[in-house]
Amino acid sequence: VGICDVSSLGRIMIQGPDASKFLNMIYINSFDKLSIGKARYGIMLRDDGFVLDDGTVWRLSENYYLITTTTRQASFIMTRLEELLQIRWPELKVHLTSVTDQWAGCAIAGPKSREILEMLISDKHEVSNKNLPFMGVKKIQIKNIECYIARISFSGELAFEIYIPSDY
């Protein structure tokens, strides 16, 4: 098992009735058909077509998403998204909230990563293949603390990303 602190990644909550439309406009891939409880990798481009940033998009409910950004670009991406909403697409009903400082994160990867998680949560079936498939996202409790978890792997190994309130 390998454990990596990913707290430095940027995290932005995107909410509102036009959240899916907004995501479709800022990423090269589509998010309006992303199922609730699923994640997708996304790539943002600059105006000139070069890659600006990449990260994951987690659909938490109908009009509520969590996106991750690269560490170096976290504050810039937040500013860029606010600028797009205020200047280019002011008609969109979307609210952005930076939650980078509110959530600490870690990635747990390797063939025994699920076993580690099962020791921490009361219902070990929460992280089974059936209940948390690849690119699945959900809220779970670790020691009575509400957390977000996604089964995401960038290495091909069994892996998870967990975000927990920073106070813990």
Side-chain angles (χ1 to χ4, degrees):
V1 173
I3 300 174
C4 179
D5 182 354
V6 295
S7 298
S8 63
L9 293 175
R11 288 172 296 286
I12 302 169
M13 293 291 190
I14 299 179
Q15 299 169 279
D18 293 325
S20 295
K21 183 177 183 178
F22 180 62
L23 290 168
N24 287 341
M25 294 164 80
I26 63 171
Y27 287 102
I28 63 170
N29 43 340
S30 175
F31 290 94
D32 53 346
K33 296 192 190 301
L34 181 64
S35 299
I36 295 169
K38 293 296 273 185
R40 182 173 291 154
Y41 179 72
I43 298 173
M44 284 184 204
L45 300 180
R46 299 184 323 204
D47 287 340
D48 61 6
F50 285 91
V51 173
L52 172 65
D53 198 56
D54 69 333
T56 57
V57 177
W58 304 17
R59 191 167 198 173
L60 304 176
S61 68
E62 182 65 28
N63 298 314
Y64 188 28
Y65 295 84
L66 169 69
I67 69 169
T68 64
T69 69
T70 56
T71 299
R72 186 175 157 286
Q73 295 280 76
S75 63
F76 176 77
I77 295 300
M78 181 66 186
T79 301
R80 173 78 173 146
L81 297 182
E82 285 283 6
E83 176 187 336
L84 290 171
L85 283 173
Q86 292 176 27
I87 296 172
R88 289 198 189 165
W89 308 307
E91 72 282 0
L92 294 181
K93 294 178 176 80
V94 174
H95 180 74
L96 305 175
T97 307
S98 173
V99 293
T100 301
D101 294 335
Q102 285 76 21
W103 294 89
C106 72
I108 302 174
K112 295 191 177 203
S113 57
R114 181 177 285 121
E115 292 174 38
I116 299 296
L117 289 171
E118 288 172 345
M119 289 188 274
L120 300 173
I121 58 178
S122 56
D123 181 2
K124 70 179 186 175
H125 300 291
E126 287 281 338
V127 293
S128 68
N129 281 332
K130 180 182 176 193
N131 289 327
L132 191 59
F134 181 65
M135 298 305 273
V137 172
K138 65 181 354 184
K139 272 189 180 179
I140 63 167
Q141 288 200 352
I142 296 178
K143 305 292 183 187
N144 297 321
I145 302 164
E146 203 165 77
C147 308
Y148 287 107
I149 186 169
R151 190 169 145 211
I152 296 177
S153 176
F154 295 98
S155 65
E157 288 282 346
L158 177 63
F160 302 86
E161 280 186 20
I162 302 164
Y163 291 101
I164 187 167
S166 296
D167 291 348
Y168 296 98

